[in-house]
Amino acid sequence: MREYFSRRRAALRSLLADSGVDALLVTDLLNIRYLTGFTGSNAALLVHASGDDKTIFCTDGRYTVQSATEVPDLERVLDRASAAKLADLAAEKDLGKTGFESQHVSVEQHEDLKVRFDRVQLVRTPGLVEQLRLVKDEQEIEALRQACAAADRALEDLVSAGGLRPGRTELDVARDLENRMLGHGSTGPSFDTIVAAGANSAIPHHRPTSAVLATGGFVKIDFGATVDGYHSDMTRTFVIGKPAAWQEEIYELVQRAQAAGCDAVLPGAEVSEVDKAARGVIVDAGRGEEFGHGLGHGVGLQVHEAPSLATTGVGTLSAGMAVTVEPGVYLPGRGGVRIEDTLVVREGTPELLTLSTKELVVV
């Protein structure tokens, strides 16, 4: 597994050369995890442009044993003020130009770094590691695949056990589903599980309450599992009892829009065009005003990361990116439908990672 991290750092070094810096001070913990495998709560990393032999990892004494296991291939130093320590070392080595993750550094931290880098030119280099994280390697995709499988199995268990029944509260269902994901290998939910019953299903990001599931209402569930730090994201909408004609109508519409969006997830596709492919189905049906959010987003070490599949999104898809496709139609006071999958962009057709049925399930 160490070769994955070594390759990622090598790829980063090529970006450092393009940015004209001698090193990069990495302070965002997710980026540090991506580059080293370290999972603790305090660390910094000084990636030297010349190679791993001059790259230094720093954490504090709480992680002496853990870091020796997780980061055995880099020089390690221990200091509670990890970023400050590496800043001092960079100055001692007269590195010249050192980049820093300006999008993750506070004003106070920046002022401190400027003092410590008095002999080194500090250069803003935002988004370099995130640029690499856009395209997932096969180790990352396998973790995403396992996270999606944990969510799929938990949802199947919940439905099979009668977990979606009249009288249960939204909170009951959310807790039940999260516990079932733990039983299938998740280390925790990707985010606070959304369970929205009846009229609440028309609220895109409703937070579960003591509202009860009732016959004749939708139940929208947006949830995900976490495996090895990687997140899944899936939404399915159910109906309790025989669906009304209006429920069948908007479900079928969202289903068609979601299929169109998934079909548009291709290498080279403009992200705004992917959004348009799904949104156009809903707009053509006269319900464009009832779909008020973007179509999807990237997913990986964060449940929401680049790229953004939206009308305002910029850029193109590449093979290996992991994205969600999640159109919805929401009728305030009545109910709403969202269908969401996590997919990997592949040559030809995308790889679907969330496999739960997208047919309207009546419980």
Side-chain angles (χ1 to χ4, degrees):
M1 288 182 60
R2 300 309 311 169
E3 65 186 35
Y4 284 102
F5 303 115
S6 178
R7 284 202 295 265
R8 293 171 189 172
R9 294 192 296 270
L12 177 60
R13 282 193 287 273
S14 68
L15 297 183
L16 300 188
D18 293 340
S19 300
V21 296
D22 300 304
L24 175 67
L25 179 64
V26 184
T27 52
D28 178 72
L29 285 171
L30 288 179
N31 287 342
I32 292 168
R33 179 170 185 161
Y34 176 79
L35 293 169
T36 68
F38 181 69
T39 60
S41 65
N42 179 36
L45 180 69
L46 187 65
V47 180
H48 200 289
S50 68
D52 273 354
D53 59 328
K54 294 184 179 180
T55 293
I56 307 172
F57 171 84
C58 184
T59 186
D60 64 66
R62 294 172 299 166
Y63 298 109
T64 302
V65 175
Q66 179 179 330
S67 62
T69 301
E70 294 182 337
V71 195
D73 49 347
L74 295 177
E75 178 184 349
R76 287 177 298 120
V77 294
L78 298 177
D79 196 293
R80 183 78 176 185
S82 297
K85 177 64 174 179
L86 292 187
D88 290 340
L89 290 176
E92 290 174 11
K93 295 176 183 293
D94 291 323
L95 281 176
K97 292 183 179 180
T98 299
F100 73 102
E101 297 183 304
S102 53
Q103 78 277 26
H104 297 301
V105 174
S106 70
V107 173
E108 290 296 326
Q109 290 169 329
H110 182 236
E111 290 301 313
D112 183 52
L113 288 176
K114 283 198 300 183
V115 172
R116 293 176 182 277
F117 275 93
D118 60 343
R119 300 196 310 273
V120 176
Q121 184 178 349
L122 197 58
V123 180
R124 291 179 59 183
T125 50
L128 294 185
V129 182
E130 285 85 353
Q131 184 177 333
L132 296 177
R133 284 171 50 190
L134 275 169
V135 175
K136 274 60 180 176
D137 57 38
E138 289 304 317
Q139 182 191 33
E140 293 178 283
I141 292 172
E142 179 56 28
L144 287 168
R145 196 178 285 123
Q146 291 180 23
C148 290
D152 278 326
R153 292 167 186 153
L155 183 62
E156 180 182 11
D157 287 354
L158 177 75
V159 175
S160 298
L164 301 180
R165 62 180 180 271
R168 292 199 93 188
T169 69
E170 294 169 340
L171 284 168
D172 288 338
V173 174
R175 291 167 182 153
D176 191 351
L177 183 57
E178 289 176 357
N179 285 333
R180 291 177 188 276
M181 286 192 288
L182 291 173
H184 286 291
S186 172
T187 55
S190 293
F191 51 91
D192 291 340
T193 297
I194 295 171
V195 177
N200 289 338
S201 61
I203 304 170
H205 277 187
H206 173 72
R207 300 175 70 89
T209 68
S210 57
V212 297
L213 281 60
T215 300
F218 278 131
V219 182
K220 183 185 68 194
I221 305 178
D222 186 345
F223 68 110
T226 306
V227 173
D228 292 336
Y230 285 80
H231 303 277
S232 67
D233 196 357
M234 173 169 65
T235 305
R236 294 294 186 265
T237 305
F238 303 84
V239 66
I240 299 180
K242 181 177 175 58
W246 69 271
Q247 291 173 315
E248 293 179 324
E249 176 194 343
I250 66 169
Y251 192 95
E252 187 272 337
L253 177 60
V254 173
Q255 191 176 38
R256 284 194 291 114
Q258 209 260 349
C262 290
D263 288 344
V265 173
L266 299 169
E270 294 282 344
V271 292
S272 59
E273 289 298 311
V274 179
D275 178 280
K276 184 178 179 181
R279 192 174 302 277
V281 175
I282 295 173
V283 170
D284 289 347
R287 293 193 176 275
E289 295 294 319
E290 293 155 356
F291 176 23
H293 56 75
L295 179 66
H297 53 83
V299 62
L301 285 171
Q302 292 172 289
V303 73
H304 290 92
E305 57 183 45
S308 173
L309 276 58
T311 55
T312 56
V314 177
T316 60
L317 296 180
S318 298
M321 289 182 176
V323 299
T324 68
V325 173
E326 48 182 300
V329 169
Y330 311 95
L331 309 182
R334 299 180 72 188
V337 173
R338 182 164 66 248
I339 302 172
E340 175 187 18
D341 283 312
T342 299
L343 311 95
V344 176
V345 184
R346 299 290 197 185
E347 297 293 341
T349 58
E351 179 184 354
L352 182 64
L353 299 186
T354 41
L355 303 178
S356 297
T357 182
K358 289 181 279 189
E359 296 301 315
L360 178 57
V361 175
V362 177
V363 292

